[in-house]
Amino acid sequence: MSATPATSGPLRFPPGFLWGAATAAYQVEGAAREGGRTPSIWDTFSHTPGKVAGGDTGDVAVDHFHRRHEDVELMAALGLGAYRFSVSWPRVQPTGRGPAVQRGLDFYRRLVDDLLAHGIRPVLTLYHWDLPQELEADIHGGTASGGGWPHRDTAQRFADYAAIVAEALGDRVEWWTTLNEPWCSAFLGYGSGVHAPGRSDPEAALRAAHHLNLAHGLAAQALRAALPARGRVMISLNPAAVRARSRTPEDLDAQRRIDALATRIFTGPLLRGAYPADLLADTAHLTDWSFVRDGDLTVIKHPLDALGINYYTPTVVSAGTDNAPLPRHDGHGGGARSPWPGADRVAFHQPPGDRTAMGWSVDPTGLYDLLMRLHREAPGLPLFITENGAAYEDRPDAEGAVHDPERIAYLHAHLAAAHRALTDGADLRGYFLWSLMDNFEWAYGYSKRFGAVHVDFTTQARTPKSSGHWYANVARTNELPVLSPGMSAP
C-alpha cells in the first residue's frame, strides 16, 4: 500500500533539515558490569530464562562502550548530521539514587566530544527503558515486585537523574529527550510483560503510564533549571496510526478505544493538560485514577521545544465477536496478557501486503497521517521523526557486502511520505533512522537486524549495508533521489 505518488525528480528537503541515526544504550553499549554500572531491569529480564529469544542478553551487545571512537568515525563517513543516543541510567547513577558515578559520565563526555569533533550533533535521550533494578524492587520495604514505574517515587528519582546528566553535559548538548516510547515502558513492561520488568497487571500499567508522564514533566523542569538558554527539551512517543477494519460503529469504537490507550493517554496530558474522558471511562473498572494528584497535570504540560515521533507500521482493529479468541496482530509480541487494558474485546489484524522481518506491514501512509495529525493538534510545535526503519534478513554475500534493497525501498517510501507532510504544512525538522547498526533487539535478542550497518555479532566487525550508503547520499545532498530501477516502493 502506498500513499506517496511516484515523482519525476528528486525531492528536496528544507535547508537545515537534520539527518541522523539512533541507538539505545542497552542495545549497543555492552560493558554491563564495568565502571560501576549495576543491573537495569533489562539485565534482570534478559537473564531470566525464556524471556528473550535465544537466551540473548545485552551484556556485550555490539560493544559500543569500547568501540565508541570507531563508531563515531563510521557515522562521520556516512555523512550523519546527528546521532541520537541514550544514556544508561544505571551506568551514571547505579542505584537510581545519590551522586553520579563519574566514570559513567566520562563515557558520555568522551562520546559527545567525539561527536562534536566530527561535526555531528549529539541528541541525547535520558531514558530508553533501562530503569535501575533497585528502583524496580524498591517500595520502601514493600515486596520485591512492587516498585518501578507504577510507584510514584520513581518519577522524582528520574528528575534527579536528569539534573545530574544535564549538569555534566548541558554545555555541549543542545537537544534533550526525556523519555523514549513511554507506551512500551508502561504497557509492554507492566501490562503484557513481554518487556522488562515482565509484570502483567493492567492497573499497574495505567499507573506506570501516568508516572512516566509525570517523570517527563518533572525532568523537563529539572532540565530547564540546569541547562543553558540554548537547551531544548522534547519527548519521543510512538503514537499509533490506528485504522478501523470497517466503518461499522463497533469497529470505529474499537479504533477510538485503542487510539486513547496508544496515543491520547500521552498527548492529552502533554499537550492539553488532561487525560481523555473516554480513556477514564474505558478503564474505570480497573482503576479510579486516584494516583493522579492535584498539580500533576500542570507539571506534565510543561512546554516542549519539539515532539519526537517513532513510526514503523499502522495498527488495524475491529470489534471482537462473541467470546471467541481474538487475533492480536498488534506488532508487540505474543504475551499471554494483552498490553491494552480495558480493550479485551478488540481484535488486531495483519493487513495484506509487504511485511518486514518483524511481520510488520509496510505502509508509509501511517507516517504521513501521524505527522499531519500532530501538526493539527499541536500547531507551532516542531516535529522530529526520531525513529523509523525496518528489519530484514540481511546477510553478507561472498565478497562481504550486504545488499538490502528492501530496506532502501522502505526508507524511500517513508521519506517520501515525510516530504509530502512537509509540503502539506507539517513543521518537520529532522529524521533519525532506526538504527545506526544491528544490535540487541529487546525480546527478539539478536535475531532481528534493523541497522544501516551490519554487525557480525561474533567478531563485532561493522559493514555498512547498501542502505547505509544510500542513506548517506540522502543526508549529504539533502534530497531524496528517484528510486532506482528494480527497487519498487512498498
Side-chain angles (χ1 to χ4, degrees), residues 142-200:
T143 63
S145 63
W149 288 113
H151 186 45
R152 185 181 181 89
D153 186 61
T154 303
Q156 185 58 58
R157 301 284 71 76
F158 180 68
D160 295 343
Y161 154 69
I164 287 172
V165 182
E167 290 287 350
L169 298 173
D171 60 331
R172 283 161 285 179
V173 177
E174 178 183 2
W175 280 100
W176 293 74
T177 306
T178 55
L179 306 172
N180 180 79
E181 296 186 358
W183 185 89
C184 293
S185 296
F187 294 107
L188 300 184
Y190 297 93
S192 67
V194 298
H195 277 194
R199 289 160 60 180
S200 298

Short mmCIF file of all heavy atoms in Angstrom, two decimals, residues 142-200:
data_model
loop_
_atom_site.label_atom_id
_atom_site.label_comp_id
_atom_site.label_asym_id
_atom_site.label_seq_id
_atom_site.Cartn_x
_atom_site.Cartn_y
_atom_site.Cartn_z
N GLY A 142 8.53 -2.67 50.79
CA GLY A 142 7.44 -3.49 50.25
C GLY A 142 7.98 -4.71 49.54
O GLY A 142 9.14 -5.08 49.68
N THR A 143 7.14 -5.34 48.76
CA THR A 143 7.54 -6.55 48.06
C THR A 143 8.53 -6.24 46.96
O THR A 143 8.58 -5.13 46.43
CB THR A 143 6.32 -7.25 47.44
OG1 THR A 143 5.74 -6.38 46.46
CG2 THR A 143 5.29 -7.56 48.51
N ALA A 144 9.30 -7.24 46.58
CA ALA A 144 10.36 -7.03 45.60
C ALA A 144 9.82 -6.78 44.21
O ALA A 144 10.57 -6.43 43.31
CB ALA A 144 11.30 -8.24 45.58
N SER A 145 8.53 -6.98 43.98
CA SER A 145 7.98 -6.78 42.64
C SER A 145 7.06 -5.56 42.59
O SER A 145 6.30 -5.41 41.65
CB SER A 145 7.19 -8.02 42.21
OG SER A 145 6.09 -8.22 43.08
N GLY A 146 7.14 -4.67 43.59
CA GLY A 146 6.15 -3.61 43.66
C GLY A 146 6.63 -2.22 43.36
O GLY A 146 5.88 -1.27 43.57
N GLY A 147 7.88 -2.03 42.91
CA GLY A 147 8.38 -0.69 42.66
C GLY A 147 8.27 -0.31 41.20
O GLY A 147 7.28 -0.56 40.54
N GLY A 148 9.30 0.33 40.68
CA GLY A 148 9.33 0.70 39.27
C GLY A 148 8.38 1.82 38.93
O GLY A 148 7.99 2.64 39.76
N TRP A 149 7.97 1.88 37.67
CA TRP A 149 7.15 2.98 37.19
C TRP A 149 5.75 3.04 37.78
O TRP A 149 5.15 4.13 37.86
CB TRP A 149 7.12 2.98 35.67
CG TRP A 149 8.43 3.40 35.07
CD1 TRP A 149 9.29 2.62 34.36
CD2 TRP A 149 9.04 4.69 35.16
NE1 TRP A 149 10.41 3.35 34.01
CE2 TRP A 149 10.27 4.62 34.48
CE3 TRP A 149 8.66 5.90 35.76
CZ2 TRP A 149 11.13 5.72 34.37
CZ3 TRP A 149 9.52 7.00 35.65
CH2 TRP A 149 10.74 6.91 34.96
N PRO A 150 5.14 1.95 38.22
CA PRO A 150 3.85 2.10 38.91
C PRO A 150 3.97 2.83 40.25
O PRO A 150 2.96 3.22 40.83
CB PRO A 150 3.38 0.66 39.11
CG PRO A 150 4.06 -0.12 38.03
CD PRO A 150 5.41 0.53 37.90
N HIS A 151 5.19 2.99 40.75
CA HIS A 151 5.44 3.62 42.04
C HIS A 151 5.80 5.09 41.81
O HIS A 151 6.72 5.42 41.06
CB HIS A 151 6.60 2.89 42.73
CG HIS A 151 6.89 3.34 44.11
ND1 HIS A 151 5.91 3.57 45.05
CD2 HIS A 151 8.06 3.61 44.73
CE1 HIS A 151 6.47 3.94 46.18
NE2 HIS A 151 7.77 4.00 46.02
N ARG A 152 5.08 6.00 42.45
CA ARG A 152 5.20 7.43 42.19
C ARG A 152 6.62 7.96 42.42
O ARG A 152 7.09 8.85 41.69
CB ARG A 152 4.20 8.18 43.08
CG ARG A 152 4.15 9.68 42.83
CD ARG A 152 3.15 10.36 43.75
NE ARG A 152 3.10 11.79 43.48
CZ ARG A 152 2.29 12.34 42.59
NH1 ARG A 152 1.46 11.58 41.89
NH2 ARG A 152 2.30 13.65 42.40
N ASP A 153 7.30 7.44 43.40
CA ASP A 153 8.63 7.96 43.73
C ASP A 153 9.61 7.84 42.57
O ASP A 153 10.57 8.61 42.48
CB ASP A 153 9.17 7.23 44.96
CG ASP A 153 10.48 7.80 45.45
OD1 ASP A 153 10.50 8.99 45.83
OD2 ASP A 153 11.49 7.08 45.43
N THR A 154 9.38 6.88 41.67
CA THR A 154 10.29 6.70 40.54
C THR A 154 10.34 7.95 39.67
O THR A 154 11.39 8.28 39.10
CB THR A 154 9.87 5.47 39.72
OG1 THR A 154 9.84 4.33 40.57
CG2 THR A 154 10.84 5.20 38.58
N ALA A 155 9.24 8.66 39.55
CA ALA A 155 9.21 9.89 38.74
C ALA A 155 10.16 10.94 39.31
O ALA A 155 10.87 11.62 38.57
CB ALA A 155 7.79 10.44 38.66
N GLN A 156 10.19 11.08 40.63
CA GLN A 156 11.10 12.05 41.24
C GLN A 156 12.55 11.60 41.11
O GLN A 156 13.45 12.42 40.89
CB GLN A 156 10.75 12.25 42.72
CG GLN A 156 11.58 13.34 43.38
CD GLN A 156 11.44 14.69 42.69
OE1 GLN A 156 10.33 15.21 42.59
NE2 GLN A 156 12.54 15.26 42.19
N ARG A 157 12.77 10.31 41.24
CA ARG A 157 14.14 9.81 41.06
C ARG A 157 14.64 10.12 39.64
O ARG A 157 15.81 10.44 39.44
CB ARG A 157 14.18 8.29 41.31
CG ARG A 157 13.73 7.83 42.69
CD ARG A 157 14.78 8.08 43.78
NE ARG A 157 14.95 9.48 44.11
CZ ARG A 157 14.09 10.20 44.86
NH1 ARG A 157 12.98 9.64 45.31
NH2 ARG A 157 14.33 11.46 45.13
N PHE A 158 13.74 10.01 38.67
CA PHE A 158 14.13 10.30 37.29
C PHE A 158 14.48 11.77 37.13
O PHE A 158 15.45 12.11 36.42
CB PHE A 158 12.99 9.92 36.35
CG PHE A 158 13.29 10.18 34.90
CD1 PHE A 158 14.25 9.44 34.22
CD2 PHE A 158 12.63 11.18 34.19
CE1 PHE A 158 14.54 9.67 32.88
CE2 PHE A 158 12.92 11.42 32.85
CZ PHE A 158 13.88 10.67 32.20
N ALA A 159 13.74 12.65 37.75
CA ALA A 159 14.06 14.08 37.66
C ALA A 159 15.43 14.37 38.26
O ALA A 159 16.19 15.18 37.72
CB ALA A 159 12.97 14.89 38.37
N ASP A 160 15.75 13.71 39.39
CA ASP A 160 17.07 13.91 39.99
C ASP A 160 18.18 13.44 39.05
O ASP A 160 19.22 14.09 38.91
CB ASP A 160 17.16 13.15 41.32
CG ASP A 160 16.20 13.68 42.37
OD1 ASP A 160 15.70 14.82 42.20
OD2 ASP A 160 15.95 12.96 43.35
N TYR A 161 17.96 12.29 38.42
CA TYR A 161 18.92 11.77 37.44
C TYR A 161 19.06 12.71 36.25
O TYR A 161 20.18 12.98 35.78
CB TYR A 161 18.46 10.38 37.00
CG TYR A 161 18.89 9.90 35.65
CD1 TYR A 161 20.22 9.60 35.38
CD2 TYR A 161 17.95 9.74 34.63
CE1 TYR A 161 20.60 9.14 34.13
CE2 TYR A 161 18.33 9.28 33.37
CZ TYR A 161 19.66 8.99 33.13
OH TYR A 161 20.03 8.54 31.87
N ALA A 162 17.96 13.27 35.76
CA ALA A 162 18.02 14.22 34.65
C ALA A 162 18.90 15.41 34.99
O ALA A 162 19.70 15.88 34.16
CB ALA A 162 16.61 14.68 34.28
N ALA A 163 18.77 15.91 36.21
CA ALA A 163 19.58 17.06 36.62
C ALA A 163 21.06 16.71 36.64
O ALA A 163 21.91 17.52 36.25
CB ALA A 163 19.12 17.54 38.00
N ILE A 164 21.40 15.50 37.07
CA ILE A 164 22.80 15.06 37.11
C ILE A 164 23.40 15.07 35.70
O ILE A 164 24.50 15.59 35.47
CB ILE A 164 22.89 13.64 37.72
CG1 ILE A 164 22.66 13.71 39.23
CG2 ILE A 164 24.24 13.01 37.40
CD1 ILE A 164 22.55 12.34 39.88
N VAL A 165 22.68 14.50 34.74
CA VAL A 165 23.21 14.41 33.38
C VAL A 165 23.27 15.80 32.75
O VAL A 165 24.23 16.14 32.04
CB VAL A 165 22.36 13.45 32.53
CG1 VAL A 165 22.95 13.32 31.12
CG2 VAL A 165 22.29 12.07 33.18
N ALA A 166 22.27 16.63 33.02
CA ALA A 166 22.27 17.99 32.47
C ALA A 166 23.45 18.81 32.99
O ALA A 166 24.07 19.57 32.23
CB ALA A 166 20.95 18.69 32.79
N GLU A 167 23.76 18.67 34.25
CA GLU A 167 24.90 19.39 34.81
C GLU A 167 26.21 18.96 34.15
O GLU A 167 27.12 19.76 33.96
CB GLU A 167 24.98 19.16 36.33
CG GLU A 167 23.87 19.83 37.12
CD GLU A 167 24.02 21.34 37.21
OE1 GLU A 167 25.09 21.87 36.82
OE2 GLU A 167 23.06 22.00 37.65
N ALA A 168 26.30 17.68 33.79
CA ALA A 168 27.54 17.16 33.21
C ALA A 168 27.68 17.47 31.73
O ALA A 168 28.80 17.70 31.25
CB ALA A 168 27.60 15.65 33.42
N LEU A 169 26.57 17.50 30.99
CA LEU A 169 26.66 17.58 29.54
C LEU A 169 25.93 18.76 28.93
O LEU A 169 25.95 18.95 27.71
CB LEU A 169 26.11 16.28 28.92
CG LEU A 169 26.86 15.00 29.27
CD1 LEU A 169 26.11 13.78 28.74
CD2 LEU A 169 28.28 15.03 28.73
N GLY A 170 25.27 19.55 29.76
CA GLY A 170 24.46 20.64 29.24
C GLY A 170 25.22 21.70 28.47
O GLY A 170 24.64 22.40 27.63
N ASP A 171 26.51 21.82 28.72
CA ASP A 171 27.30 22.82 27.99
C ASP A 171 27.61 22.39 26.57
O ASP A 171 28.01 23.22 25.75
CB ASP A 171 28.61 23.11 28.74
CG ASP A 171 29.49 21.87 28.89
OD1 ASP A 171 28.94 20.74 28.95
OD2 ASP A 171 30.73 22.03 28.97
N ARG A 172 27.40 21.10 26.26
CA ARG A 172 27.77 20.59 24.94
C ARG A 172 26.61 19.97 24.17
O ARG A 172 26.72 19.75 22.97
CB ARG A 172 28.88 19.54 25.08
CG ARG A 172 30.24 20.12 25.35
CD ARG A 172 31.19 19.10 25.93
NE ARG A 172 30.88 18.84 27.33
CZ ARG A 172 31.53 17.97 28.08
NH1 ARG A 172 32.51 17.24 27.55
NH2 ARG A 172 31.20 17.80 29.34
N VAL A 173 25.51 19.65 24.84
CA VAL A 173 24.36 19.02 24.19
C VAL A 173 23.20 20.00 24.18
O VAL A 173 22.79 20.50 25.23
CB VAL A 173 23.95 17.73 24.92
CG1 VAL A 173 22.70 17.12 24.28
CG2 VAL A 173 25.10 16.71 24.91
N GLU A 174 22.66 20.26 22.99
CA GLU A 174 21.53 21.19 22.87
C GLU A 174 20.20 20.48 23.01
O GLU A 174 19.30 20.97 23.70
CB GLU A 174 21.59 21.90 21.51
CG GLU A 174 20.43 22.85 21.27
CD GLU A 174 20.46 23.50 19.89
OE1 GLU A 174 21.39 23.18 19.11
OE2 GLU A 174 19.55 24.30 19.59
N TRP A 175 20.03 19.32 22.35
CA TRP A 175 18.73 18.65 22.30
C TRP A 175 18.67 17.52 23.32
O TRP A 175 19.52 16.61 23.31
CB TRP A 175 18.46 18.12 20.90
CG TRP A 175 17.97 19.18 19.97
CD1 TRP A 175 18.70 19.87 19.04
CD2 TRP A 175 16.65 19.72 19.91
NE1 TRP A 175 17.91 20.78 18.39
CE2 TRP A 175 16.64 20.71 18.91
CE3 TRP A 175 15.47 19.45 20.60
CZ2 TRP A 175 15.49 21.44 18.59
CZ3 TRP A 175 14.33 20.16 20.28
CH2 TRP A 175 14.35 21.14 19.28
N TRP A 176 17.64 17.56 24.17
CA TRP A 176 17.44 16.60 25.26
C TRP A 176 16.06 15.97 25.13
O TRP A 176 15.04 16.66 25.10
CB TRP A 176 17.55 17.31 26.61
CG TRP A 176 18.94 17.80 26.88
CD1 TRP A 176 19.56 18.88 26.30
CD2 TRP A 176 19.88 17.21 27.77
NE1 TRP A 176 20.84 18.99 26.78
CE2 TRP A 176 21.07 17.99 27.68
CE3 TRP A 176 19.85 16.12 28.63
CZ2 TRP A 176 22.20 17.71 28.43
CZ3 TRP A 176 20.98 15.83 29.38
CH2 TRP A 176 22.14 16.60 29.27
N THR A 177 16.02 14.66 25.07
CA THR A 177 14.78 13.90 25.05
C THR A 177 14.61 13.24 26.42
O THR A 177 15.52 12.55 26.88
CB THR A 177 14.80 12.82 23.96
OG1 THR A 177 15.11 13.42 22.71
CG2 THR A 177 13.46 12.11 23.87
N THR A 178 13.47 13.46 27.06
CA THR A 178 13.27 12.86 28.37
C THR A 178 13.07 11.36 28.27
O THR A 178 13.85 10.58 28.81
CB THR A 178 12.06 13.51 29.06
OG1 THR A 178 10.91 13.42 28.20
CG2 THR A 178 12.35 14.98 29.38
N LEU A 179 12.02 10.93 27.59
CA LEU A 179 11.64 9.52 27.52
C LEU A 179 11.52 9.07 26.08
O LEU A 179 11.10 9.83 25.22
CB LEU A 179 10.29 9.28 28.19
CG LEU A 179 10.11 9.76 29.64
CD1 LEU A 179 8.65 9.61 30.05
CD2 LEU A 179 11.01 8.98 30.58
N ASN A 180 11.85 7.82 25.84
CA ASN A 180 11.59 7.20 24.54
C ASN A 180 10.46 6.19 24.69
O ASN A 180 10.53 5.27 25.50
CB ASN A 180 12.83 6.48 24.02
CG ASN A 180 12.58 5.83 22.67
OD1 ASN A 180 12.58 6.50 21.64
ND2 ASN A 180 12.31 4.53 22.66
N GLU A 181 9.40 6.39 23.93
CA GLU A 181 8.28 5.46 23.86
C GLU A 181 7.79 5.02 25.24
O GLU A 181 7.85 3.84 25.60
CB GLU A 181 8.64 4.23 23.01
CG GLU A 181 8.92 4.59 21.56
CD GLU A 181 9.15 3.36 20.67
OE1 GLU A 181 9.11 2.23 21.20
OE2 GLU A 181 9.35 3.54 19.47
N PRO A 182 7.27 5.97 26.03
CA PRO A 182 6.74 5.56 27.34
C PRO A 182 5.61 4.54 27.24
O PRO A 182 5.37 3.80 28.21
CB PRO A 182 6.27 6.89 27.95
CG PRO A 182 6.11 7.83 26.79
CD PRO A 182 7.14 7.42 25.81
N TRP A 183 4.92 4.45 26.10
CA TRP A 183 3.89 3.42 25.94
C TRP A 183 4.50 2.03 26.14
O TRP A 183 3.92 1.18 26.83
CB TRP A 183 3.24 3.51 24.55
CG TRP A 183 2.10 2.54 24.42
CD1 TRP A 183 0.79 2.75 24.74
CD2 TRP A 183 2.19 1.17 24.00
NE1 TRP A 183 0.05 1.61 24.53
CE2 TRP A 183 0.88 0.63 24.08
CE3 TRP A 183 3.23 0.35 23.57
CZ2 TRP A 183 0.61 -0.70 23.74
CZ3 TRP A 183 2.95 -0.97 23.23
CH2 TRP A 183 1.66 -1.48 23.31
N CYS A 184 5.66 1.80 25.53
CA CYS A 184 6.29 0.48 25.66
C CYS A 184 6.70 0.21 27.11
O CYS A 184 6.51 -0.90 27.62
CB CYS A 184 7.50 0.38 24.74
SG CYS A 184 7.10 0.42 22.99
N SER A 185 7.27 1.22 27.76
CA SER A 185 7.67 1.04 29.16
C SER A 185 6.48 0.66 30.02
O SER A 185 6.57 -0.24 30.87
CB SER A 185 8.31 2.32 29.70
OG SER A 185 9.50 2.63 29.00
N ALA A 186 5.35 1.33 29.82
CA ALA A 186 4.18 1.09 30.66
C ALA A 186 3.46 -0.20 30.29
O ALA A 186 3.21 -1.06 31.16
CB ALA A 186 3.22 2.28 30.55
N PHE A 187 3.12 -0.35 29.01
CA PHE A 187 2.17 -1.40 28.64
C PHE A 187 2.82 -2.71 28.22
O PHE A 187 2.21 -3.77 28.38
CB PHE A 187 1.23 -0.86 27.56
CG PHE A 187 0.36 0.25 28.07
CD1 PHE A 187 0.59 1.56 27.70
CD2 PHE A 187 -0.66 0.00 28.96
CE1 PHE A 187 -0.19 2.59 28.18
CE2 PHE A 187 -1.45 1.01 29.46
CZ PHE A 187 -1.21 2.33 29.07
N LEU A 188 4.04 -2.67 27.70
CA LEU A 188 4.76 -3.92 27.45
C LEU A 188 5.50 -4.39 28.69
O LEU A 188 5.68 -5.59 28.89
CB LEU A 188 5.73 -3.75 26.28
CG LEU A 188 5.11 -3.36 24.94
CD1 LEU A 188 6.17 -3.33 23.84
CD2 LEU A 188 3.96 -4.28 24.55
N GLY A 189 5.93 -3.44 29.52
CA GLY A 189 6.66 -3.80 30.72
C GLY A 189 5.77 -4.23 31.87
O GLY A 189 6.14 -5.14 32.64
N TYR A 190 4.59 -3.60 32.01
CA TYR A 190 3.73 -3.87 33.16
C TYR A 190 2.35 -4.41 32.78
O TYR A 190 1.59 -4.80 33.65
CB TYR A 190 3.56 -2.59 33.99
CG TYR A 190 4.86 -2.10 34.57
CD1 TYR A 190 5.65 -1.17 33.89
CD2 TYR A 190 5.33 -2.58 35.79
CE1 TYR A 190 6.86 -0.73 34.41
CE2 TYR A 190 6.53 -2.16 36.32
CZ TYR A 190 7.29 -1.23 35.63
OH TYR A 190 8.50 -0.81 36.15
N GLY A 191 2.02 -4.42 31.47
CA GLY A 191 0.74 -4.93 31.02
C GLY A 191 0.85 -6.33 30.47
O GLY A 191 0.38 -7.30 31.07
N SER A 192 1.50 -6.46 29.31
CA SER A 192 1.65 -7.80 28.72
C SER A 192 2.84 -8.55 29.29
O SER A 192 2.87 -9.78 29.26
CB SER A 192 1.82 -7.67 27.20
OG SER A 192 3.04 -7.03 26.87
N GLY A 193 3.84 -7.82 29.79
CA GLY A 193 5.00 -8.47 30.38
C GLY A 193 6.02 -8.99 29.38
O GLY A 193 6.93 -9.72 29.76
N VAL A 194 5.91 -8.60 28.11
CA VAL A 194 6.87 -9.09 27.12
C VAL A 194 8.16 -8.26 27.11
O VAL A 194 9.12 -8.61 26.45
CB VAL A 194 6.27 -9.13 25.70
CG1 VAL A 194 5.09 -10.09 25.65
CG2 VAL A 194 5.86 -7.75 25.22
N HIS A 195 8.17 -7.13 27.81
CA HIS A 195 9.37 -6.34 28.03
C HIS A 195 9.65 -6.28 29.53
O HIS A 195 8.78 -6.55 30.37
CB HIS A 195 9.18 -4.92 27.49
CG HIS A 195 9.43 -4.80 26.02
ND1 HIS A 195 9.60 -3.59 25.38
CD2 HIS A 195 9.55 -5.74 25.05
CE1 HIS A 195 9.81 -3.79 24.09
NE2 HIS A 195 9.78 -5.09 23.86
N ALA A 196 10.85 -5.86 29.85
CA ALA A 196 11.22 -5.70 31.26
C ALA A 196 10.33 -4.65 31.91
O ALA A 196 10.00 -3.64 31.26
CB ALA A 196 12.68 -5.29 31.36
N PRO A 197 9.94 -4.88 33.16
CA PRO A 197 10.36 -5.95 34.08
C PRO A 197 9.55 -7.23 33.99
O PRO A 197 9.73 -8.13 34.81
CB PRO A 197 10.16 -5.29 35.45
CG PRO A 197 8.97 -4.42 35.27
CD PRO A 197 9.12 -3.86 33.87
N GLY A 198 8.62 -7.31 33.02
CA GLY A 198 7.90 -8.55 32.80
C GLY A 198 6.69 -8.76 33.70
O GLY A 198 6.29 -9.90 33.94
N ARG A 199 6.09 -7.68 34.16
CA ARG A 199 4.90 -7.79 35.01
C ARG A 199 3.63 -7.72 34.16
O ARG A 199 3.63 -7.08 33.11
CB ARG A 199 4.91 -6.70 36.08
CG ARG A 199 5.97 -6.93 37.14
CD ARG A 199 6.34 -5.69 37.92
NE ARG A 199 5.22 -5.10 38.63
CZ ARG A 199 5.32 -4.00 39.38
NH1 ARG A 199 6.49 -3.38 39.49
NH2 ARG A 199 4.27 -3.52 39.99
N SER A 200 2.56 -8.33 34.63
CA SER A 200 1.30 -8.38 33.89
C SER A 200 0.16 -7.97 34.81
O SER A 200 -0.47 -8.80 35.46
CB SER A 200 1.04 -9.79 33.33
OG SER A 200 2.06 -10.15 32.42
#
